[in-house]
Protein backbone atom coordinates (compact mmCIF):
# COMPACT_ATOMS: atom_id res chain seq x y z
CA UNK A 1 0.00 0.00 0.00
CA UNK A 2 1.23 3.49 -0.88
CA UNK A 3 -0.14 6.99 -1.33
CA UNK A 4 -0.36 8.46 -4.84
CA UNK A 5 0.08 12.26 -4.80
CA UNK A 6 -1.62 14.48 -7.39
CA UNK A 7 -1.17 18.10 -6.33
CA UNK A 8 -0.35 20.54 -3.58
CA UNK A 9 -2.72 23.43 -2.85
CA UNK A 10 -3.19 26.07 -0.23
CA UNK A 11 -5.23 25.02 2.79
CA UNK A 12 -8.08 27.30 1.71
CA UNK A 13 -8.51 25.60 -1.67
CA UNK A 14 -11.93 23.86 -1.78
CA UNK A 15 -10.45 20.66 -3.27
CA UNK A 16 -13.75 19.51 -4.78
CA UNK A 17 -13.04 15.86 -5.48
CA UNK A 18 -16.58 14.50 -5.82
CA UNK A 19 -17.20 12.59 -9.03
CA UNK A 20 -13.52 12.20 -9.87
CA UNK A 21 -12.08 8.76 -10.55
CA UNK A 22 -8.45 8.26 -9.63
CA UNK A 23 -5.70 6.06 -11.01
CA UNK A 24 -5.48 2.29 -10.82
CA UNK A 25 -7.56 -0.70 -11.81
CA UNK A 26 -9.91 -0.23 -8.83
CA UNK A 27 -9.37 3.40 -7.79
CA UNK A 28 -9.66 4.29 -4.13
CA UNK A 29 -11.43 7.57 -3.25
CA UNK A 30 -9.46 10.78 -3.55
CA UNK A 31 -8.83 12.70 -0.35
CA UNK A 32 -6.49 15.32 1.14
CA UNK A 33 -3.63 15.44 3.63
CA UNK A 34 -3.26 18.80 5.41
CA UNK A 35 -0.09 20.14 7.04
CA UNK A 36 1.94 23.33 7.12
CA UNK A 37 -0.98 25.43 5.91
CA UNK A 38 -1.12 23.33 2.74
CA UNK A 39 -3.05 20.43 1.30
CA UNK A 40 -1.95 17.50 -0.80
CA UNK A 41 -4.54 15.70 -2.90
CA UNK A 42 -3.85 11.99 -2.61
CA UNK A 43 -5.23 8.49 -3.12
CA UNK A 44 -4.36 5.12 -1.67
CA UNK A 45 -2.91 2.67 -4.20
CA UNK A 46 -2.05 -1.00 -3.82
CA UNK A 47 -0.41 -1.52 -7.21
CA UNK A 48 2.32 -0.05 -9.34
CA UNK A 49 0.79 2.77 -11.36
CA UNK A 50 1.94 2.75 -14.96
CA UNK A 51 1.47 5.39 -17.65
CA UNK A 52 -1.60 3.89 -19.27
CA UNK A 53 -3.96 6.16 -21.15
CA UNK A 54 -6.79 5.73 -18.65
CA UNK A 55 -4.55 6.58 -15.71
CA UNK A 56 -2.91 9.52 -17.47
CA UNK A 57 -6.38 10.87 -18.24
CA UNK A 58 -7.51 10.39 -14.65
CA UNK A 59 -4.43 12.20 -13.35
CA UNK A 60 -5.04 15.12 -15.73
CA UNK A 61 -8.75 15.37 -14.85
CA UNK A 62 -7.86 15.80 -11.19
CA UNK A 63 -5.45 18.62 -12.04
CA UNK A 64 -8.00 20.38 -14.23
CA UNK A 65 -10.73 20.18 -11.59
CA UNK A 66 -8.42 21.61 -8.94
CA UNK A 67 -7.11 24.31 -11.28
CA UNK A 68 -10.68 25.44 -12.02
CA UNK A 69 -11.13 26.34 -8.33
CA UNK A 70 -7.77 27.90 -7.50
CA UNK A 71 -4.01 27.71 -7.71
CA UNK A 72 -2.33 24.30 -7.64
CA UNK A 73 1.14 22.83 -7.81
CA UNK A 74 0.53 19.83 -10.08
CA UNK A 75 2.86 16.88 -9.70
CA UNK A 76 3.89 14.94 -12.75
CA UNK A 77 2.26 11.57 -13.23
CA UNK A 78 3.54 8.78 -10.99
CA UNK A 79 4.58 10.34 -7.67
CA UNK A 80 3.93 8.19 -4.60
CA UNK A 81 4.74 8.39 -0.90
CA UNK A 82 4.97 5.70 1.75
CA UNK A 83 2.00 6.93 3.78
CA UNK A 84 0.06 10.03 4.90
CA UNK A 85 2.70 10.91 7.48
CA UNK A 86 5.39 11.00 4.79
CA UNK A 87 3.23 13.40 2.76
CA UNK A 88 2.57 15.59 5.82
CA UNK A 89 6.29 15.69 6.62
CA UNK A 90 7.10 16.91 3.12
CA UNK A 91 4.42 19.60 3.32
CA UNK A 92 5.77 20.79 6.67
CA UNK A 93 9.40 20.77 5.59
CA UNK A 94 8.81 22.52 2.27
CA UNK A 95 5.98 24.81 3.35
CA UNK A 96 7.75 28.10 2.62
CA UNK A 97 8.84 27.01 -0.85
CA UNK A 98 5.43 25.60 -1.73
CA UNK A 99 3.64 28.77 -0.61
CA UNK A 100 6.08 30.88 -2.63
CA UNK A 101 5.42 28.74 -5.70
CA UNK A 102 1.64 28.98 -5.22
CA UNK A 103 1.91 32.75 -5.01
CA UNK A 104 4.02 32.85 -8.19
CA UNK A 105 1.47 30.73 -10.08
CA UNK A 106 -1.64 32.43 -8.75
CA UNK A 107 -4.14 33.27 -11.48
CA UNK A 108 -2.06 31.62 -14.21
CA UNK A 109 -2.19 28.64 -16.53
CA UNK A 110 0.37 27.04 -18.81
CA UNK A 111 0.27 27.23 -22.59
CA UNK A 112 2.42 25.19 -24.98
CA UNK A 113 3.56 26.50 -28.34
CA UNK A 114 5.21 24.22 -30.86
CA UNK A 115 6.05 25.10 -34.44
CA UNK A 116 7.49 23.27 -37.43
CA UNK A 117 8.64 24.61 -40.77
CA UNK A 118 7.96 23.14 -44.19
CA UNK A 119 11.49 22.35 -45.31
CA UNK A 120 10.74 22.06 -49.02
CA UNK A 121 9.89 25.73 -49.24
CA UNK A 122 12.91 26.61 -47.09
CA UNK A 123 15.24 24.66 -49.38
CA UNK A 124 13.90 26.48 -52.44
CA UNK A 125 14.39 29.76 -50.62
CA UNK A 126 18.02 28.89 -49.83
CA UNK A 127 18.74 27.96 -53.45
CA UNK A 128 17.17 31.24 -54.58
CA UNK A 129 19.15 33.32 -52.07
CA UNK A 130 22.55 31.62 -52.17
CA UNK A 131 24.52 31.92 -55.42
CA UNK A 132 27.03 29.29 -54.23
CA UNK A 133 24.30 26.79 -53.38
CA UNK A 134 22.67 27.45 -56.74
CA UNK A 135 25.96 26.89 -58.63
CA UNK A 136 26.63 23.62 -56.79
CA UNK A 137 23.10 22.42 -57.44
CA UNK A 138 23.31 23.35 -61.13
CA UNK A 139 26.60 21.47 -61.56
CA UNK A 140 25.07 18.35 -60.02
CA UNK A 141 22.02 18.61 -62.27
CA UNK A 142 24.23 19.04 -65.33
CA UNK A 143 25.93 15.72 -64.57
CA UNK A 144 29.18 16.87 -62.96
CA UNK A 145 30.57 13.68 -61.36
CA UNK A 146 32.81 15.41 -58.82
CA UNK A 147 32.04 13.41 -55.63
CA UNK A 148 32.68 16.46 -53.48
CA UNK A 149 29.75 18.42 -54.88
CA UNK A 150 26.87 16.67 -53.05
CA UNK A 151 28.78 16.87 -49.76
CA UNK A 152 29.58 20.55 -50.24
CA UNK A 153 25.99 21.34 -51.18
CA UNK A 154 24.64 19.31 -48.28
CA UNK A 155 26.89 21.03 -45.74
CA UNK A 156 26.07 24.47 -47.14
CA UNK A 157 22.30 23.86 -47.13
CA UNK A 158 22.32 22.23 -43.68
CA UNK A 159 24.14 25.22 -42.22
CA UNK A 160 21.72 27.64 -43.84
CA UNK A 161 18.70 25.65 -42.65
CA UNK A 162 20.01 25.58 -39.09
CA UNK A 163 20.85 29.29 -39.08
CA UNK A 164 17.53 30.38 -40.57
CA UNK A 165 15.46 28.13 -38.33
CA UNK A 166 17.26 29.30 -35.21
CA UNK A 167 16.67 32.93 -36.19
CA UNK A 168 13.01 32.27 -36.98
CA UNK A 169 12.49 30.37 -33.72
CA UNK A 170 14.08 33.18 -31.70
CA UNK A 171 11.79 35.69 -33.36
CA UNK A 172 8.68 33.62 -32.65
CA UNK A 173 9.64 33.20 -29.00
CA UNK A 174 10.31 36.93 -28.62
CA UNK A 175 6.91 37.70 -30.15
CA UNK A 176 5.08 35.57 -27.57
CA UNK A 177 6.89 35.94 -24.25
CA UNK A 178 5.63 39.50 -23.57
CA UNK A 179 2.21 37.92 -22.90
CA UNK A 180 3.57 35.60 -20.20
CA UNK A 181 4.59 36.03 -16.58
CA UNK A 182 7.29 33.41 -17.12
CA UNK A 183 8.43 31.12 -19.91
CA UNK A 184 10.53 28.04 -20.57
CA UNK A 185 12.22 27.23 -23.88
CA UNK A 186 13.09 23.59 -24.44
CA UNK A 187 15.07 21.90 -27.18
CA UNK A 188 12.71 21.16 -30.08
CA UNK A 189 12.15 17.55 -31.14
CA UNK A 190 10.43 15.59 -33.90
CA UNK A 191 11.18 18.18 -36.57
CA UNK A 192 9.91 21.18 -34.59
CA UNK A 193 11.77 24.48 -34.48
CA UNK A 194 9.98 25.85 -31.37
CA UNK A 195 9.09 24.16 -28.08
CA UNK A 196 7.89 26.88 -25.74
CA UNK A 197 5.94 26.86 -22.47
CA UNK A 198 4.30 30.07 -21.28
CA UNK A 199 2.92 30.89 -17.83
CA UNK A 200 0.01 33.17 -18.69
CA UNK A 201 -2.24 35.20 -16.41
CA UNK A 202 -5.88 34.38 -17.01
CA UNK A 203 -6.75 37.97 -17.88
CA UNK A 204 -4.16 37.91 -20.69
CA UNK A 205 -5.29 34.68 -22.32
CA UNK A 206 -7.34 36.52 -24.97
CA UNK A 207 -4.34 38.71 -25.83
CA UNK A 208 -2.19 35.62 -26.24
CA UNK A 209 -4.81 33.97 -28.45
CA UNK A 210 -4.89 37.01 -30.73
CA UNK A 211 -1.10 37.12 -30.91
CA UNK A 212 -0.96 33.42 -31.78
CA UNK A 213 -3.57 33.85 -34.52
CA UNK A 214 -1.69 36.83 -35.93
CA UNK A 215 1.59 34.89 -36.03
CA UNK A 216 -0.09 31.97 -37.76
CA UNK A 217 -1.37 34.33 -40.48
CA UNK A 218 1.85 36.31 -40.92
CA UNK A 219 4.50 33.61 -40.87
CA UNK A 220 4.18 31.54 -44.03
CA UNK A 221 5.52 28.03 -44.25
CA UNK A 222 5.26 27.42 -40.50
CA UNK A 223 2.73 25.13 -38.83
CA UNK A 224 1.84 26.10 -35.26
CA UNK A 225 0.38 23.88 -32.53
CA UNK A 226 -1.01 25.70 -29.52
CA UNK A 227 -2.30 23.96 -26.37
CA UNK A 228 -3.83 25.40 -23.20
CA UNK A 229 -4.89 26.35 -20.66
CA UNK A 230 -3.02 23.54 -18.91
CA UNK A 231 -1.87 22.84 -15.36
CA UNK A 232 1.47 24.64 -14.92
CA UNK A 233 3.71 21.57 -14.78
CA UNK A 234 6.65 23.39 -16.38
CA UNK A 235 6.75 26.06 -13.66
CA UNK A 236 6.53 23.93 -10.51
Amino acid sequence: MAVYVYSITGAAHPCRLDGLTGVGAEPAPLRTVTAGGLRAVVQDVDEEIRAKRRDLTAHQEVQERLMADGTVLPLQFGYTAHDDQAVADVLEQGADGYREALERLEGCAEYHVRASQHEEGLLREILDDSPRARRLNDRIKEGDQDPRLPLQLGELVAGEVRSRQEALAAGLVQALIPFARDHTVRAPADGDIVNLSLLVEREREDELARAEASLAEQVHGVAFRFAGPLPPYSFV
Side-chain angles (χ1 to χ4, degrees), residues 3 7 46 54 58 71 73 88 113 123 130 157 169 181 207 222 230:
V3 175
S7 294
D46 59 3
R54 194 205 72 80
T71 308
L73 304 181
V113 183
L123 294 176
S130 170
V157 170
R181 181 182 293 181
E207 289 181 71
V222 175
L230 302 166

Side-chain angles (χ1 to χ4, degrees), residues 70-224:
T71 308
V72 300
L73 304 181
L75 274 69
Q76 296 284 355
F77 179 87
Y79 276 90
T80 60
H82 182 66
D83 55 22
D84 284 12
Q85 187 58 54
V87 176
D89 289 346
V90 169
L91 294 179
E92 290 279 4
Q93 293 164 11
D96 290 344
Y98 292 136
R99 282 195 288 268
E100 181 181 334
L102 285 165
E103 183 176 343
R104 180 168 51 86
L105 299 179
E106 185 174 1
C108 293
E110 180 169 341
Y111 282 78
H112 290 169
V113 183
R114 290 181 172 84
S116 58
Q117 188 172 26
H118 304 304
E119 286 204 1
E120 185 177 338
L122 179 58
L123 294 176
R124 286 198 301 269
E125 181 181 300
I126 290 170
L127 290 175
D128 288 342
D129 293 347
S130 170
R132 181 167 177 244
R134 197 161 54 250
R135 285 195 302 270
L136 290 169
N137 189 56
D138 289 344
R139 287 177 62 185
I140 293 171
K141 284 184 174 181
E142 290 166 359
D144 192 321
Q145 299 299 310
D146 187 337
R148 297 171 297 176
L149 294 181
L151 179 60
Q152 291 172 355
L153 179 60
E155 290 176 344
L156 175 60
V157 170
E160 279 290 325
V161 167
R162 184 168 56 252
S163 176
R164 294 182 185 215
Q165 288 185 337
E166 287 175 354
L168 175 60
L172 296 176
V173 169
Q174 290 302 314
L176 292 172
I177 60 176
F179 301 96
R181 181 182 293 181
D182 197 359
H183 71 280
T184 298
V185 179
R186 294 187 177 85
D190 301 325
D192 287 341
I193 62 171
V194 172
N195 183 2
L196 173 66
S197 293
L198 301 168
L199 183 66
V200 181
E201 297 173 13
R202 289 307 185 102
E203 57 265 29
R204 303 205 68 185
E205 288 178 339
D206 288 345
E207 289 181 71
L208 176 65
R210 289 193 293 270
E212 290 173 345
S214 178
L215 274 180
E217 288 182 1
Q218 294 176 28
V219 184
H220 300 294
V222 175
F224 291 92

Side-chain angles (χ1 to χ4, degrees), residues 23-73:
V23 299
E26 297 182 6
L30 276 70
R31 54 191 176 80
T32 62
V33 174
T34 302
L38 300 162
R39 280 181 173 178
V41 176
V42 304
Q43 172 199 335
D44 292 329
V45 291
D46 59 3
E47 62 184 289
E48 183 179 356
I49 302 300
R50 300 182 182 276
K52 300 176 183 177
R53 178 176 294 182
R54 194 205 72 80
D55 288 335
L56 290 169
T57 299
H59 179 92
Q60 185 71 2
E61 287 175 349
V62 172
Q63 310 296 354
E64 291 173 354
R65 168 74 68 82
L66 294 169
M67 194 172 76
D69 289 337
T71 308
V72 300
L73 304 181

